[in-house]
Amino acid sequence: MLNFDHAASAPTHPDVIRTVAEVMEAHSGNPSSIHRGGQAASKLLERSREVCAAALGGVKPGEVVFTSGATESNNLAIKGSLLGRKDGRVHIVTTQIEHASVTESCLQLEELGFETTFVQPEADGTVSAEKVLAALREDTALVSVMHVNNETGAVQPVEEIARAVKLRDARVRVHVDGVQGFGRAGLELQASAIDLYSVSAHKVRGPRGVGLLFVREGVRLFPLLTGGGQERGLRAGTENLASIVGAAKAFRMAAEDRVPRAERMTELREELIAEVRRHDVLTLTEPKISAPHIVHFTFPGLKSQVILHTLEELGMLVSAQSACAAKTEKPSRVLSAMGRSREHATSGIRISLGDEHTSRDVRLLADALDKAVRRLAPLEGRKR
Ligand code: PMP
């Protein structure tokens, strides 16, 4: 079985597994304890924070808040920015194509009286800075736009958006869900205008259930988890030290050789794109700028699940929508927002590459795709 669903979760790197096991064996101390065991754990925790800060592009270690993953990071960034404010700013600008952890956070805030504008993307899945600016109001507190869309791979102009927003109103905060962008699309966080950036370890071969939120110095958040005051009071709870150390290793590896890895992936991606283009029943989704690890196409007339299961029978694991939405047969929110018809929005397939994929793997996938098309095209009424 070949796994082409790395955007849902990438296989944990063997070095990360080893590191996690070593930390679990060697460190049973609570980083908050003042005895020797606690101090050793605390030292390792702070060392991991430094590694993550460097991997994010030279930000300050104090700007890294460890979380249980990007769902929590997004919740903390959004709810933490709106709750407890005293300046009357109650409005959020986000997009129609965000991950559920962003969308649902905004919808939950709406139940409490806050307001959201969901900006529509262009037909290619890119969010325009002009549309984001046009949605700003005097009472806007936060703009939240993802770095790379997890379904189509569209790279969003997040830095342009952040700069334009700050120019218009320096008091509006900018959050970016960087889950699919970190380690794939470049971004100099330190020099950027972005205030908050969410990252998840398991998308870059780290452990599942651990992530971080970059919180720029001076940005205050209302904590969602209170208790023992860990993570500068922003996220109470005994730290998951072994996973954090493993995550730091994965983040470092992802950042270190990002450019050559992206180049290799881009070559593989182009091979796959050429294969998709060969089949006139498939429609390639073509964002203006795409991340190197995602190829998306639709097969109008068939349900995503049917295509997905056929490819699985042929030994290939791919996905339909994001993993969180995979079990529904509803049209993709992302494709619908891009103005695609229901036929397209229910027949999307996402192939996502990882750094260990080879040209041979991609050729095997191309063969499977060819077989799947031959098998399925007659079902949707076209003669091949
Ligand atoms: N945002 C995006 C864009 C994602 O792809 C995902 C993972 N599906 C998340 C947020 C949630 O990350 P996590 O699994 O770490 O909670």
Side-chain angles (χ1 to χ4, degrees):
M1 210 47 120
L2 282 176
N3 177 357
F4 285 98
D5 196 14
H6 284 223
S9 203
T12 314
H13 195 289
D15 291 352
V16 171
I17 297 175
R18 222 168 293 129
T19 298
V20 171
E22 280 166 14
V23 176
M24 275 191 165
E25 272 181 29
H27 292 272
S28 52
N30 183 325
S32 300
S33 299
I34 49 175
H35 55 62
R36 220 181 286 168
Q39 290 309 296
S42 167
K43 221 166 148 186
L44 197 52
L45 178 68
E46 294 318 313
R47 172 78 197 116
S48 301
R49 206 182 300 281
E50 287 167 13
V51 171
C52 293
L56 287 172
V59 305
K60 296 180 183 146
E63 295 177 317
V64 171
V65 176
F66 290 117
T67 64
S68 66
T71 295
E72 184 186 331
S73 301
N74 288 342
N75 272 264
L76 177 59
I78 296 167
K79 295 177 194 168
S81 288
L82 274 293
L83 296 174
R85 291 185 82 100
K86 295 189 177 68
D87 60 1
R89 291 189 181 234
V90 293
H91 179 239
I92 308 167
V93 177
T94 186
T95 82
Q96 295 179 3
I97 57 170
E98 299 298 310
H99 185 263
S101 53
V102 167
T103 312
E104 294 297 324
S105 291
C106 295
L107 293 177
Q108 204 183 21
L109 285 172
E110 284 190 357
E111 285 177 34
L112 299 175
F114 295 94
E115 293 169 28
T116 317
T117 301
F118 293 94
V119 173
Q120 187 176 11
E122 306 303 302
D124 75 332
T126 308
V127 174
S128 92
E130 290 74 32
K131 283 197 184 153
V132 172
L133 278 188
L136 290 178
R137 303 193 325 207
E138 292 215 324
D139 61 349
T140 303
L142 178 77
V143 168
S144 179
V145 180
M146 72 202 320
H147 192 179
V148 168
N149 183 264
N150 48 308
E151 223 166 298
T152 64
V155 179
Q156 307 300 350
V158 284
E159 185 55 27
E160 183 194 342
I161 291 172
R163 288 192 184 279
V165 166
K166 296 285 182 183
L167 207 60
R168 172 76 64 83
D169 182 349
R171 296 185 60 190
V172 176
R173 219 173 251 186
V174 180
H175 166 245
V176 172
D177 172 352
V179 171
Q180 300 291 346
F182 175 77
R184 278 133 184 175
L187 182 71
E188 289 302 320
L189 254 193
Q190 189 208 12
S192 92
I194 294 162
D195 299 299
L196 299 153
Y197 189 81
S198 307
V199 184
S200 179
H202 72 108
K203 309 290 182 173
V204 289
R205 309 196 66 189
R208 274 150 286 276
V210 57
L212 62 80
L213 179 65
F214 159 74
V215 183
R216 192 171 293 284
E217 199 171 33
V219 171
R220 293 170 68 89
L221 292 173
F222 186 87
L224 304 184
L225 298 179
T226 52
Q230 288 89 345
E231 297 299 297
R232 292 186 287 124
L234 281 174
R235 204 269 180 183
T238 304
E239 301 85 348
N240 180 358
L241 184 65
S243 292
I244 287 172
V245 180
K249 185 169 217 123
F251 290 145
R252 180 171 56 71
M253 290 192 290
E256 254 169 20
D257 62 345
R258 185 188 68 77
V259 174
R261 203 157 18 85
E263 283 169 2
R264 268 198 322 273
M265 269 189 205
T266 300
E267 277 176 29
L268 299 182
R269 183 175 179 274
E270 277 162 10
E271 279 181 46
L272 273 173
I273 284 179
E275 178 61 22
V276 172
R277 285 215 173 97
R278 261 185 357 97
H279 302 285
D280 61 4
V281 291
L282 305 181
T283 308
L284 185 69
T285 306
E286 295 180 89
K288 190 162 111 202
I289 305 176
S290 175
H293 65 304
I294 293 180
V295 176
H296 185 275
F297 63 86
T298 54
F299 193 155
L302 288 177
K303 290 269 177 287
S304 301
Q305 278 76 1
V306 175
I307 312 157
L308 192 146
H309 289 311
T310 306
L311 283 169
E312 185 166 0
E313 277 170 28
L314 293 163
M316 302 293 150
L317 301 181
V318 299
S319 79
Q321 305 180 26
S322 73
C324 321
K327 294 196 176 88
T328 79
E329 290 212 359
K330 286 198 202 132
S332 144
R333 235 175 358 102
V334 175
L335 296 181
S336 301
M338 287 159 61
R340 299 292 192 88
S341 67
R342 195 184 166 87
E343 276 214 309
H344 281 279
T346 49
S347 67
I349 289 291
R350 175 187 71 187
I351 296 168
S352 48
L353 297 163
D355 51 3
E356 72 275 37
H357 283 134
T358 62
S359 209
R360 182 173 174 274
D361 296 336
V362 165
R363 277 200 303 279
L364 290 171
L365 174 59
D367 287 345
L369 198 57
D370 187 56
K371 286 196 184 106
V373 168
R374 283 169 199 281
R375 218 184 266 181
L376 296 173
L379 295 186
E380 88 48 68
R382 298 185 201 210
K383 286 270 164 281
R384 298 250 77 222

